[in-house]
Amino acid sequence: MSASDTALLTEHLTYRPIAVIDDIINSINLLAFRAIDALEKGLFAAPPSSIGFTPTSTLSAEEVATQCQHEIENGVYKLETLLNAKIDKNFDKMEIYLLRNVFAVPPDIKDWIRLSHYEGLDFRSVEENGEGADGVPTSETVTVQRKRLRETMKLNAVLRAEKERNERTIAALKGVISPSQSSAKKTVKTEDGTEMEVDVEDDERPSLAFLQKKGNLTKDGKHPIATTTEFALAQLPALKQLLDNLGPRLKELSEGDGMAGMVGEQEKSWRRERLEFIEKETRRHLENVRGLELGSQGEVRDGEWQGEGRKLGNGEVEDLEKVIGMFESHAAPPEDGDGNAMDEGA
């Protein structure tokens, strides 16, 4: 079996052909070892008399047992050596047969074999892609491949660093949610003077440990966060649908009749109109009939100053000044010739 055949079969099978043969031989050797080990244990467990070793007048029972053990060890060793030799001899023949007849590529079809991962490849364009006519890579192609390898190694390093950061972040988040498994211990003395270790209660519990409380969850009490998150995610489609329906309504209300968000009189509902009518008539009755003085919010004024009243215009102020001047001119007494005011009784 040539090196080219081995390379072709390895690329096709994704493993070396000799590896299959080695696995078969190793399996047989393992079975042979187990058989020899079981045989040895069985012989040692049997009494010496059952396998032909009986005590005599010249040999005691202990000497017979020692002799039996020695014979068993030698016999098992010889059997194991003989069995391994037969296995090696016969399976070497099998290896030669498999490499010549099974794991072999006929020479007349080797040049016509195209593997599945070679589909669509055009080897005639090797020279056009920068390689020599004989398929030998040039310095330019080697440089390009080195750059690709260098960038791949950089990306691999970045991804590994990102993975480590993510693992540290996950560990930190788990520490915030769940308490640590290891508990601190301290040594205390009892009344009789002996020392013993007790657990120290940690008052600094994780700040988000309450998220692990089951509460009234009945579906998945072991993972309350996952259950709550699953429920929240299940409500998102309904909330999104409500938001989509509310968007056009808000736009209509804000742009109605070009009033920049103010609702016009014609858009008021009949309930709103009735409420405004009742408030207006009630205020008029209290002011005109009852004689109460009401504020802007409907509060009753008690005669003291509780805020600025209605502002007067310039025309109203001038009219008031004219009225006051008329009263002053009519109220002044007439004067005599000497310029003194006349008494009414004179």
Side-chain angles (χ1 to χ4, degrees):
M1 187 175 182
S2 61
S4 60
D5 293 345
T6 303
L8 179 61
L9 291 174
T10 302
E11 188 175 2
H12 174 62
L13 300 175
T14 66
Y15 55 84
R16 296 182 301 110
I18 194 65
V20 180
I21 302 174
D22 291 340
D23 289 341
I24 296 174
I25 297 175
N26 292 334
S27 300
I28 297 300
N29 289 329
L30 180 61
L31 293 176
F33 173 77
R34 291 179 179 177
I36 295 296
D37 186 62
L39 177 61
E40 184 179 8
K41 290 181 179 179
L43 292 175
F44 280 133
S49 58
S50 63
I51 56 178
F53 292 91
T54 57
T56 61
S57 59
T58 58
L59 296 175
S60 62
E62 294 180 357
E63 293 177 349
V64 171
T66 304
Q67 184 180 2
C68 178
Q69 181 179 0
H70 180 69
E71 291 293 335
I72 291 174
E73 290 177 353
N74 290 336
V76 170
Y77 174 74
K78 293 179 180 179
L79 177 62
E80 183 178 4
T81 303
L82 178 61
L83 184 60
N84 289 334
K86 293 296 183 181
I87 290 175
D88 293 340
K89 179 180 178 181
N90 291 282
F91 278 92
D92 286 343
K93 296 179 181 179
M94 185 196 73
E95 180 179 354
I96 295 173
Y97 176 81
L98 292 177
L99 293 177
R100 288 182 178 179
N101 300 279
V102 178
F103 297 106
V105 180
D108 54 343
I109 66 172
K110 182 172 62 175
D111 296 335
W112 301 94
I113 294 177
R114 182 171 61 183
L115 302 179
S116 60
H117 54 277
Y118 287 163
E119 294 289 341
L121 296 180
D122 187 7
F123 295 98
R124 293 173 298 180
S125 60
V126 173
E127 185 176 357
E128 298 177 359
N129 292 335
E131 296 186 356
D134 54 352
V136 179
T138 60
S139 59
E140 290 80 5
T141 57
V142 173
T143 303
V144 172
Q145 294 299 327
R146 286 179 177 175
K147 290 182 179 179
R148 290 180 180 178
L149 178 60
R150 186 163 50 250
E151 295 300 326
T152 304
M153 294 176 65
K154 289 182 180 179
L155 179 60
N156 188 16
V158 171
L159 292 178
R160 288 181 179 274
E162 184 67 22
K163 180 182 177 182
E164 293 178 357
R165 286 195 296 269
N166 293 337
E167 290 178 353
R168 289 195 297 268
T169 303
I170 293 173
L173 292 176
K174 288 182 178 179
V176 172
I177 294 176
S178 58
S180 59
Q181 299 295 333
S182 60
S183 58
K185 295 181 178 295
K186 66 177 182 180
T187 304
V188 296
K189 291 185 177 180
T190 58
E191 296 179 355
D192 55 357
T194 59
E195 296 182 355
M196 60 180 301
E197 292 184 352
V198 296
D199 295 335
V200 179
E201 295 184 358
D202 189 6
D203 296 334
E204 298 181 358
R205 299 183 181 275
S207 57
L208 300 180
F210 66 91
L211 295 176
Q212 294 290 347
K213 294 183 179 180
K214 299 179 182 179
N216 56 356
L217 295 177
T218 57
K219 180 180 178 182
D220 189 4
K222 295 182 179 179
H223 304 86
I225 297 180
T227 305
T228 306
T229 306
E230 181 181 357
F231 174 76
L233 293 177
Q235 302 300 318
L236 286 180
L239 294 176
K240 185 177 180 181
Q241 184 178 2
L242 292 176
L243 183 60
D244 294 339
N245 295 335
L246 186 60
R249 300 290 299 276
L250 292 175
K251 186 176 181 181
E252 292 177 1
L253 294 176
S254 62
E255 298 180 357
D257 293 340
M259 300 183 66
M262 300 297 294
V263 180
E265 294 291 337
Q266 66 276 12
E267 296 183 3
K268 294 181 180 179
S269 62
W270 65 273
R271 294 181 182 273
R272 180 69 177 178
E273 293 179 355
R274 181 175 178 83
L275 180 61
E276 291 181 355
F277 174 76
I278 293 175
E279 290 181 354
K280 183 178 180 181
E281 294 300 325
T282 303
R283 185 183 183 91
R284 181 182 299 177
H285 174 76
L286 293 176
E287 290 179 346
N288 297 338
V289 179
R290 298 294 182 179
L292 299 178
E293 184 180 0
L294 303 179
S296 59
Q297 301 296 329
E299 68 276 8
V300 179
R301 296 179 181 271
D302 55 359
E304 298 180 359
W305 187 86
Q306 298 182 2
E308 296 182 356
R310 186 176 64 85
K311 295 183 179 180
L312 300 177
N314 294 331
E316 295 178 348
V317 175
E318 293 177 357
D319 293 340
L320 289 176
E321 291 178 351
K322 291 180 180 180
V323 172
I324 293 173
M326 292 174 60
F327 278 105
E328 289 179 352
S329 61
H330 287 288
E335 297 180 355
D336 55 5
D338 297 334
N340 298 323
M342 297 178 61
D343 295 335
E344 293 181 358

